[in-house]
Amino acid sequence: SVSLLGNTKTNYPETYAPEVLEKFPNKHPDNDAWTTFVCTEFTSLCPMTGQPDFAKIFINYIADKDMVESKSLKIYLFSFRNHGDFHEDCVQKICKDLFKLMKPKYIEVQGDFTPRGGIAIFPYASMSNGSKKYEAMKDARMANYSPGKYGMDLARLY
Amino acid sequence: SVSLLGNTKTNYPETYAPEVLEKFPNKHPDNDAWTTFVCTEFTSLCPMTGQPDFAKIFINYIADKDMVESKSLKIYLFSFRNHGDFHEDCVQKICKDLFKLMKPKYIEVQGDFTPRGGIAIFPYASMSNGSKKYEAMKDARMANYSPGKYGMDLARLY
Amino acid sequence: SVSLLGNTKTNYPETYAPEVLEKFPNKHPDNDAWTTFVCTEFTSLCPMTGQPDFAKIFINYIADKDMVESKSLKIYLFSFRNHGDFHEDCVQKICKDLFKLMKPKYIEVQGDFTPRGGIAIFPYASMSNGSKKYEAMKDARMANYSPGKYGMDLARLY
Amino acid sequence: SVSLLGNTKTNYPETYAPEVLEKFPNKHPDNDAWTTFVCTEFTSLCPMTGQPDFAKIFINYIADKDMVESKSLKIYLFSFRNHGDFHEDCVQKICKDLFKLMKPKYIEVQGDFTPRGGIAIFPYASMSNGSKKYEAMKDARMANYSPGKYGMDLARLY
Amino acid sequence: SVSLLGNTKTNYPETYAPEVLEKFPNKHPDNDAWTTFVCTEFTSLCPMTGQPDFAKIFINYIADKDMVESKSLKIYLFSFRNHGDFHEDCVQKICKDLFKLMKPKYIEVQGDFTPRGGIAIFPYASMSNGSKKYEAMKDARMANYSPGKYGMDLARLY
Amino acid sequence: SVSLLGNTKTNYPETYAPEVLEKFPNKHPDNDAWTTFVCTEFTSLCPMTGQPDFAKIFINYIADKDMVESKSLKIYLFSFRNHGDFHEDCVQKICKDLFKLMKPKYIEVQGDFTPRGGIAIFPYASMSNGSKKYEAMKDARMANYSPGKYGMDLARLY
Amino acid sequence: SVSLLGNTKTNYPETYAPEVLEKFPNKHPDNDAWTTFVCTEFTSLCPMTGQPDFAKIFINYIADKDMVESKSLKIYLFSFRNHGDFHEDCVQKICKDLFKLMKPKYIEVQGDFTPRGGIAIFPYASMSNGSKKYEAMKDARMANYSPGKYGMDLARLY
Amino acid sequence: SVSLLGNTKTNYPETYAPEVLEKFPNKHPDNDAWTTFVCTEFTSLCPMTGQPDFAKIFINYIADKDMVESKSLKIYLFSFRNHGDFHEDCVQKICKDLFKLMKPKYIEVQGDFTPRGGIAIFPYASMSNGSKKYEAMKDARMANYSPGKYGMDLARLY
Amino acid sequence: SVSLLGNTKTNYPETYAPEVLEKFPNKHPDNDAWTTFVCTEFTSLCPMTGQPDFAKIFINYIADKDMVESKSLKIYLFSFRNHGDFHEDCVQKICKDLFKLMKPKYIEVQGDFTPRGGIAIFPYASMSNGSKKYEAMKDARMANYSPGKYGMDLARLY
Amino acid sequence: SVSLLGNTKTNYPETYAPEVLEKFPNKHPDNDAWTTFVCTEFTSLCPMTGQPDFAKIFINYIADKDMVESKSLKIYLFSFRNHGDFHEDCVQKICKDLFKLMKPKYIEVQGDFTPRGGIAIFPYASMSNGSKKYEAMKDARMANYSPGKYGMDLARLY
Ligand SMILES: [Ca+2]
Ligand SMILES: [Ca+2]
Ligand SMILES: [Ca+2]
Ligand SMILES: [Ca+2]
Ligand SMILES: [Ca+2]
Ligand SMILES: [Ca+2]
Ligand SMILES: [Ca+2]
Ligand SMILES: [Ca+2]
Ligand SMILES: [Ca+2]
Ligand SMILES: [Ca+2]
Ligand SMILES: [Ca+2]
Ligand SMILES: [Ca+2]
Ligand SMILES: [Ca+2]
Ligand SMILES: [Ca+2]
Ligand SMILES: [Ca+2]
Ligand SMILES: [Ca+2]
């Protein structure tokens, strides 16, 4: 009797799939603005032990001509599900793949990974388009970093 | 270039629409279990002022033969969006519509409405199938009520 | 240029005014339900020092034939603004005035007053219609009391 | 018997209505000051799926000659209720409509949207009057952005 | 120039002073009600080391004919400031002194002491008037105890 | 140069694998005790959309003769990673698989799933060994259920 | 029997009374220091509707030759109790009245007003003595403003 | 120049040392009271991996003739520091060692262990003196268990 | 039977005693580092009313050649217990006494005092060694002050 | 029957063991990035009393050519378990040992130690490679320090 809804299964890729990322033109390229994506449910596999890792991923960027399409980003992030990589490399990969896709003025990625045996690891990476203004922004944000600073307390969501 | 996703617009009803509710058979009718739905984004209209009201709605029930299909419940709850009703009546309506649909052993609905000018209102309603066991459960839960008790701190969600 | 809105000043009484309370018929007198009012902004005057006192007031009741109209309740509670009374007496007065108005099956009032010089006072009063069921409910809730129990953490509101 | 109150229905527009915004003269144009509006109950429709979106909207501005009238702002924000737009575009629209109305020295708008399927999106936009001082302020605030930074934990409200 | 106020020094006793406690008649002896006092700033001295101890003290009671006057209670609690006693004995003393003063139907005292070197101690004591109803209440509350249960999260105060 | 550690990859099963569960004898079968397992990182797939679901899973049980080995439980829970099942069925499966393995006096499973599009679902299931004492325990816990009650605020963990 | 205490009623003014403010000489005029006053219980009246408004008021200042006497400040703030003024004007008035009284090097006032119908307003105003150092401080603090930034989470108080 | 203090090293045992526990007579054996000890800094070693485990330990008991001396308890708990034992066995050992020492009317021990690789374990054990009253208390508390229930949120400590 | 422990009473001074402060040489004078002391249990007496005041005191400093010995600091802070002084003067005294003892490169003291009758006062004072670098640090920290900023949420301690 | 898992005991050193630290080459030496390690379960011994101390340790660094291997870091941190050292010296040692191992561009270590008798101590140390850029970063971070700033609220982890 579940007739109304028509849930159609999305075809989620089985492993790391940067090719699913899609972009669309920024309607306001003349006016800098921040867009933040929070993936509350990121998971990958530890390449040493095969054990699943879990994290909250924060992506903050200032678009130039292009923006990443949000559902393709979601599928892309979920493609790490069965992919084995270290915490730092996941964060670097996400940063580079999105930079390559959009060529933003500035982008940064922060991963808040849950602890393993009394130790938690939080990586943070960033890239700019190399212009003076955004390279300076990158340096300043790097200099002011503290763990979790470029993310947000998720208890504020509801 | 947004080709991958295929977002298809759901046809959301324009006002209060109990007819969208759908059910399916409970696979475990012999073993009582609780199912809780939390609608974090309920909104309706105040019939006195026309102003929007907002609430978190908690629905807790013990199924008998049937269960409510979750996406139809979502569409149903969203159908209050342009509907004018008092807080207490919204909660009563949800309780009665779901009871009529599923004939559960027990059901309760709690609405945590946001304040208006220094006053907040939280209604709570419940129904049982009238059997001795579930009527007693209804009375006991009624007797132990405190505001927010049959809901949950949403800051725990992430 | 503020033409759209038409704010019309409500005529707030200058002091304690139980006569402003209004009621309307309960549409569901056959089915017990709880209604909770939270007044986040209660203030009165200390009769000893003349200093303002502040509290959160929680009113929980199970209606019988009548219910209190919410805006009249708001005006009533605001009428304590320039009224001098002890914490315990404010709570008792609210409980008795509402019982007299509505004749509910059960009603309770909890006041969470902010501290004065390292001491905070929380009074709690309740009344039933004297029937066996609701007198038992009153006794049981009294026996299970702890400070703040019949209220709610207001950090959950938004 | 609800005679005291005289609730008069406001005529809420059915869809996006920038024309309802009203302004009044700033009494202190010589002394910069911040005014913040928090709309705790913003809702719009997703243009892709038709599904309702929910957000907290923070508007921070430094007035010049004019200020926005608060009740007209409320009605304006509620006019997005049945309007279909992406998160980023809602935030941009609000920023531009208010800039056009008031010509403030500086204005910024932050939207904390609730998650959809494991992904939350927070857009942030800003505009200055183009003078050296406020353009520099805009750049500095842009450079120091982190998600939620120009908003506030609403658990502090009560 | 501090002319307006007229601060008059209260004569605080130098050590443990149960004789400062004062009572006044309960205006509602026919209707059981709870009164809670929270002393957020209790301090005494450790009899073993001479080091200061700090606690939050919760006093919950159901009055019979008499009630404790709140400012005398405050002075009484502050009289432990230079008094040397173990945590458990402070709590017992407070419980017994107040019982002796007021002869309440029921009274309980909970002390949430701050930790010393990785260990915190929370004592809880109670007394009833010995009647069947309140002795049963005492037993039931004792049976349902958990640490901090008969107190309250003070983060709720403001 | 990573010589010290010797990380050996555990062989995680690719999908739902109840056969990995292992047990060992309870050393204290004469003295009832609760053991709680919290899996903070549970994930499965939605059978309707193929999208990953995330939850915190709480397992509370009173052992009889056997106890579940904790690392095998971890591998078992992680085996849902690529398995498609509804929220309620995951919780039921976990409850039944563990009951079959250990034959405990009582067991319950609670799943706190993160929201999807404004709706969150929390299922709760339980089983007893059918003896009078534990069947009564099951009924009482069922009657006192509220969402999240048999779990715990994970913000307390560190 | 309340003999010990001698509560003497302070003569609180009935409406806005800047003349009650008193000052005393700063003992350390050579060494800049911040003093913060938090009024957790500010209330005034809305000039449009007559309805009471509630706020937390934060006053931060660096004294020059004079300091405000704290009890006179308290009486002054309480004098807004029956005074009708907009949120922004209350904050401006407090800032100007205190500047006029003390001539501090720098002063700022932040008002965290509770919401009305889904909208909360937070005004922030500041003044310096016009010297280069404190005018620069004023500009920098203005440039770094975010809602609530110059206040504090009151849940930290106990 | 650190002359004042005279820190004298306590002779902490190198491994599990129940013999350090000391007791003293209960001054109030006629009046039941709860004493709670919270050890915020418990650590032991995992017998499988040799890795340190960390927990908060809550001990709640109703004394009969004897009470445990608090500093000897602290040294006893610290003696697990280099001792290898499973979570459940640590909790059982503490419960039994204290029961053997004091012969209390009732005692319970709860261990909140920090997670290992996505799984946390919380054991809970209890013992009574076998009399009807305390055996019933034990059964009732067992029946009402939920994880963390007989402990307390340590964020309340300061 | 409490033989193990040998608690020796420290000789706590009866009133304000700066002479108990002791110092020892900084082992790392060439490498700047911050040391923070948090006194969670500071209490003094109000010189106007004789009433006890309570605060959390945060002391942050960068040592030069000498450091304050922590137990002597504790005894020093406890010596304010029976000392009458205004909030601002306690903070200034602590700052000056420690500066005089250690001659640090920089030191600051923040006092978070609990409210009295709806008003809380937080003083903040600082001193540098007068060199260009640390005088600039002092000015910058002064310019960036907000209430509580140089302290920390104590709910993070456990 | 625990056959599946193959727990192999790691050989944890009995005391302070900097020689266990291992490094591996940084794959991205051209692109500065932060890596944060949080040790939620650090413990050492007080050299004055022999009593265990507990802390959360935050390590933030920007790698140059080498990075520390995470499991060797864990074993290294656990090697402080039976090592006697003051809080400040533990933090300095960790900072220097890691600097010696990796020669990072910048590294800082923050220790949040739990209180002892009403006083908590938080040390913070940092080192740079001496180049102009990172020496400036070190100075700026030093100048902007507040207690806990370069750590994170661990309640955000789950
Ligand atoms: Ca792969
Ligand atoms: Ca919230
Ligand atoms: Ca309708
Ligand atoms: Ca009156
Ligand atoms: Ca439209
Ligand atoms: Ca004495
Ligand atoms: Ca609050
Ligand atoms: Ca499968
Ligand atoms: Ca006036
Ligand atoms: Ca606190
Ligand atoms: Ca041993
Ligand atoms: Ca051993
Ligand atoms: Ca003195
Ligand atoms: Ca914590
Ligand atoms: Ca050593
Ligand atoms: Ca959380």
Side-chain angles (χ1 to χ4, degrees), chain G:
Chain G
S1 63
V2 187
S3 60
L4 183 74
L5 305 346
N7 279 302
T8 46
K9 248 191 215 187
T10 303
N11 210 356
Y12 287 97
E14 300 229 343
T15 185
Y16 171 59
E19 67 277 8
V20 302
L21 286 168
E22 300 187 8
K23 64 185 176 186
F24 64 91
N26 177 9
K27 290 186 208 158
H28 312 276
D30 54 328
N31 193 33
D32 276 14
W34 282 97
T35 303
T36 291
F37 289 99
V38 190
C39 177
T40 60
E41 302 170 337
F42 182 85
T43 175
S44 61
L45 299 177
C46 171
M48 298 288 278
T49 63
Q51 173 172 310
D53 289 320
F54 286 75
K56 272 94 175 186
I57 301 287
F58 293 85
I59 300 164
N60 305 320
Y61 77 98
I62 300 174
D64 194 344
K65 300 219 178 92
D66 291 308
M67 302 187 80
V68 61
E69 195 282 326
S70 68
K71 200 166 176 188
S72 80
L73 174 63
K74 177 173 152 180
I75 295 171
Y76 163 72
L77 290 172
F78 287 164
S79 83
F80 283 81
R81 190 174 183 80
N82 294 314
H83 174 75
D85 232 335
F86 288 104
H87 296 173
E88 296 88 339
D89 291 325
C90 289
V91 163
Q92 291 276 11
K93 264 204 178 75
I94 295 168
C95 191
K96 287 176 177 169
D97 286 340
L98 288 171
F99 189 86
K100 188 174 157 199
L101 175 80
M102 299 189 285
K103 309 280 183 304
K105 294 176 177 170
Y106 176 79
I107 187 167
E108 69 193 0
V109 181
Q110 174 189 298
D112 295 0
F113 283 79
T114 57
R116 291 279 164 264
I119 300 276
I121 305 181
F122 308 144
Y124 167 75
S126 59
M127 298 181 74
S128 87
N129 63 5
S131 73
K132 191 176 166 189
K133 179 172 183 182
Y134 298 101
E135 195 66 19
M137 182 186 283
K138 189 188 155 194
D139 282 351
R141 293 177 76 83
M142 193 65 71
N144 290 315
Y145 168 85
S146 66
K149 176 170 184 168
Y150 299 117
M152 182 176 157
D153 185 354
L154 298 183
R156 279 170 62 172
L157 281 183
Y158 294 103

Side-chain angles (χ1 to χ4, degrees), chain F residues 21-131:
Chain F
L21 286 168
E22 300 188 8
K23 64 186 176 186
F24 63 92
N26 177 10
K27 292 186 209 158
H28 311 275
D30 53 327
N31 193 33
D32 276 13
W34 281 97
T35 303
T36 292
F37 289 100
V38 190
C39 177
T40 61
E41 301 170 340
F42 183 84
T43 176
S44 60
L45 298 178
C46 172
M48 298 289 277
T49 62
Q51 173 172 310
D53 288 320
F54 286 76
K56 274 93 176 188
I57 301 288
F58 293 84
I59 300 164
N60 305 319
Y61 76 99
I62 300 174
D64 195 342
K65 297 216 180 95
D66 290 309
M67 304 187 79
V68 60
E69 196 280 329
S70 68
K71 199 164 175 190
S72 80
L73 175 63
K74 179 172 149 179
I75 294 171
Y76 163 71
L77 290 171
F78 287 163
S79 83
F80 283 82
R81 191 174 183 79
N82 294 314
H83 174 74
D85 232 336
F86 287 105
H87 296 173
E88 295 88 339
D89 291 326
C90 289
V91 163
Q92 292 276 11
K93 263 206 180 75
I94 295 168
C95 191
K96 286 176 177 170
D97 286 340
L98 289 171
F99 189 85
K100 188 173 157 201
L101 176 80
M102 299 190 285
K103 308 279 184 305
K105 294 176 177 170
Y106 175 79
I107 187 168
E108 67 193 4
V109 181
Q110 174 188 297
D112 295 2
F113 283 79
T114 57
R116 291 279 165 261
I119 299 275
I121 306 181
F122 307 144
Y124 167 73
S126 59
M127 299 180 75
S128 88
N129 63 4
S131 72

Side-chain angles (χ1 to χ4, degrees), chain D residues 93-117:
Chain D
K93 265 205 177 73
I94 295 168
C95 191
K96 286 177 178 170
D97 286 340
L98 289 171
F99 189 85
K100 188 174 157 198
L101 175 80
M102 298 190 284
K103 309 279 181 307
K105 294 176 176 169
Y106 176 79
I107 187 168
E108 69 194 1
V109 181
Q110 175 189 298
D112 295 0
F113 283 79
T114 58
R116 291 282 164 260

Side-chain angles (χ1 to χ4, degrees), chain A residues 1-5 7-8 20 22-24 40-41 56 69 71-72 75 154-155 157-158, chain B residues 1-5 7-8 20 22-24 40-41 56 69 71-72 75 154-155 157-158:
Chain A
S1 64
V2 185
S3 61
L4 183 73
L5 306 340
N7 279 303
T8 43
V20 302
E22 299 188 8
K23 64 185 177 186
F24 63 92
T40 61
E41 301 170 339
K56 274 92 176 189
E69 196 281 330
K71 200 166 176 189
S72 80
I75 294 171
L154 298 184
L157 282 183
Y158 293 103
Chain B
S1 63
V2 185
S3 60
L4 183 73
L5 303 348
N7 279 302
T8 45
V20 302
E22 301 188 6
K23 65 186 175 187
F24 63 91
T40 60
E41 301 170 341
K56 273 92 176 189
E69 196 282 327
K71 199 165 175 189
S72 79
I75 294 171
L154 298 185
L157 281 184
Y158 294 105

